[in-house]
Amino acid sequence: MAGGLILAYLDRNLVPANETNWDFSDVFGDVVNIALPVMGFVLASRRPGNRIGWLALAAGLTLGLRSFADQYAQRALVAAPGSLPGGPLALWVSAWIWLIALAMVAFSFLLFPTGRLRSRRWRPAAWFVGAVFASSTAAVMAGAAREWANPSVSLSQLVSPAVLAAMAIGLLAALVVSGSAIVVRFARSAGEERLQLKWFAAAAVLVVATFIAVILTNSNSVAAAILNNLALLCLDVAIAIAVLKYRLYEIDRIISRTLAYTIVTGLLIGLYAGLVLLATEVLSFSSPVAVAASTLVAAALFSPLRRRVQRAVDRRFNRARYDADQMVTAFAGRLKDAVDLDVVQADLASVVQRALEPAHISLWMSNGRPPVSS
């Protein structure tokens, strides 16, 4: 089923269509198409030894070529038939070249964030992914050759049902294998690499959630296209930040704050709607009174609810901050009963070292005692 959903999405969004109308969502699509090769160029120039940048460049090139070939074929075969040469060839290229871009994405998953496989044991996985995409591309190329000049053809018409099912299973398996490489890296990573993977994971969750929502709602609206493109743009930015190692330390706070405010907003909206229904339908209050009372209750609960939710989210997604808060709270409790100044100095230096992890700590006291350093 998941493979069928993937191919349904690709059939609707990546195979040449016979519509030539422009809409506002095309602006966001163009921005994403430009952002991908730009990101690849930046990464390839700043981190030439990391293959992620080169894969992004290849994906951007193939997507750009696919878009050009599609528009060229529509002009040559639909808008003004016979006005341009090579229309069927452009249509044939646009029918299968998007698979190359998707293959670059799969290989990026295998290599992210270092640009290398995690170990030699992942080489069979890389060969499997390459074989799946090569065979799928060959099948679509052969099918598109039979529909040489048909601009309204869909993916399900290019290949037989058996081949389509095999493609669905193969592409899904390849994406699962490549995605599992990131999961394994994340589970066994530490330090800087773990922060890099957190940046990618946060953006990938956004992309997957948007992808699933659009598929399940079967939406072809402008808003759905804009959401898809914005999610992909966020993924490009997250990959660039992760590979360039730019301000990696902020991701935990971004994730925890986003989750906390999303949860609080959902809870308050549900509470507000429940109170309004209770007041109007059960207690028979007038609507203005019910709305006003519900608004006051929701506003009064916002701060305490936010603190509790933020604490729970930090415990899971921003563990460093949660542990630091716990250390400070424990130190404050010990400080109430402390009488030995030397013990307080040593305890304070230890708490600061564990909570903030500075390179050096010095503590000066006004009573002439020598500074405590660590």
Side-chain angles (χ1 to χ4, degrees), residues 158-217:
L158 292 179
V159 294
S160 65
V163 174
L164 187 63
M167 283 182 57
I169 296 173
L171 291 175
L172 178 62
L175 292 175
V176 168
V177 168
S178 59
S180 65
I182 292 184
V183 175
V184 172
R185 280 183 189 265
F186 186 84
R188 301 179 181 179
S189 63
E192 193 173 66
E193 182 175 340
R194 191 172 186 83
L195 293 176
Q196 290 175 290
L197 291 167
K198 283 183 178 180
W199 272 98
F200 177 85
V205 168
L206 177 63
V207 172
V208 171
T210 306
F211 176 86
I212 293 175
V214 172
I215 292 295
L216 295 181
T217 58

Side-chain angles (χ1 to χ4, degrees), residues 1 55 78 101 103 120 150 167 170 176 183-184 189 191 207 239 278 295-296 335:
M1 179 180 178
L55 290 173
V78 179
R120 291 185 176 182
N150 185 1
M167 283 182 57
V176 168
V183 175
V184 172
S189 63
V207 172
I239 291 174
L278 177 65
T295 302
L296 290 174
L335 189 61

Side-chain angles (χ1 to χ4, degrees), residues 23-251:
D23 59 52
F24 187 67
S25 64
D26 291 339
V27 175
F28 291 87
D30 292 339
V31 169
V32 173
N33 289 338
I34 293 172
L36 184 59
V38 168
M39 179 196 72
F41 175 78
V42 171
L43 297 184
S45 59
R46 298 289 299 275
R47 301 286 190 272
N50 193 316
R51 296 185 180 92
I52 300 297
W54 300 107
L55 290 173
L57 274 175
L61 176 62
T62 53
L63 287 177
L65 182 57
R66 185 254 165 204
S67 179
F68 171 78
D70 186 23
Q71 295 298 319
Y72 187 95
Q74 296 298 331
R75 175 69 180 176
L77 300 175
V78 179
S83 61
L84 296 172
L89 178 61
L91 180 67
W92 176 74
V93 171
S94 66
W96 55 264
I97 197 170
W98 55 269
L99 277 165
I100 297 179
L102 193 60
M104 298 301 102
V105 173
F107 280 112
S108 296
F109 290 170
L110 284 170
L111 304 179
F112 187 83
T114 61
R116 300 183 301 275
L117 293 174
R118 190 175 184 276
S119 66
R120 291 185 176 182
R121 288 181 293 179
W122 283 93
R123 287 183 179 179
W127 281 106
F128 171 75
V129 171
V132 167
F133 279 98
S135 58
S136 299
T137 303
V140 177
M141 289 173 68
R146 292 192 299 268
E147 300 287 345
W148 183 254
N150 185 1
S152 61
V153 70
S154 64
L155 179 61
S156 58
Q157 296 170 315
L158 292 179
V159 294
S160 65
V163 174
L164 187 63
M167 283 182 57
I169 296 173
L171 291 175
L172 178 62
L175 292 175
V176 168
V177 168
S178 59
S180 65
I182 292 184
V183 175
V184 172
R185 280 183 189 265
F186 186 84
R188 301 179 181 179
S189 63
E192 193 173 66
E193 182 175 340
R194 191 172 186 83
L195 293 176
Q196 290 175 290
L197 291 167
K198 283 183 178 180
W199 272 98
F200 177 85
V205 168
L206 177 63
V207 172
V208 171
T210 306
F211 176 86
I212 293 175
V214 172
I215 292 295
L216 295 181
T217 58
N218 196 28
S219 176
N220 286 318
S221 64
V222 174
I226 291 175
L227 286 176
N228 271 336
N229 290 322
L230 286 177
L232 291 173
L233 186 61
C234 290
L235 183 61
D236 291 343
V237 173
I239 291 174
I241 291 174
V243 174
L244 295 176
K245 305 177 184 179
Y246 179 74
R247 294 188 177 181
L248 295 174
Y249 58 87
E250 295 180 357
I251 185 60

